[in-house]
Amino acid sequence: MKAFVNPDLCIGCTQCAGLCPEVFSMDGNLAVAIPGEIPGEDVPQAVSAAEACPVSAITIQD
Ligand code: SF4
């Protein structure tokens, strides 16, 4: 599974980085996801962070 943040949608609320810092971090005013595969143990929290994003800017896909 890989995570992507759409920079055109992200409003920089920092919520994803707070909920799942293993995968998401802030780069200035925008969140970024780690490149490549999400470690298996971090997938559930990454999905929760994606679901919590207020503007649905996060995509988690195979
Ligand atoms: S939760 Fe969504 S809007 Fe907030 S920083 Fe993360 S990607 Fe951006």
Side-chain angles (χ1 to χ4, degrees), residues 27-62:
D27 181 12
N29 290 330
L30 297 176
V32 291
I34 57 168
E37 289 290 316
I38 302 169
E41 66 270 24
D42 296 327
V43 168
Q45 201 65 13
V47 170
S48 294
E51 291 173 349
C53 175
V55 293
S56 300
I58 300 172
T59 305
I60 309 270
Q61 56 188 216
D62 291 332

Side-chain angles (χ1 to χ4, degrees), residues 4-6 9-17 19 24-26 29-32 49-50 52-58:
F4 302 92
V5 175
N6 184 335
L9 295 177
C10 177
I11 57 172
C13 74
T14 77
Q15 189 163 230
C16 57
L19 284 170
F24 301 101
S25 59
M26 301 307 295
N29 290 330
L30 297 176
V32 291
C53 175
V55 293
S56 300
I58 300 172

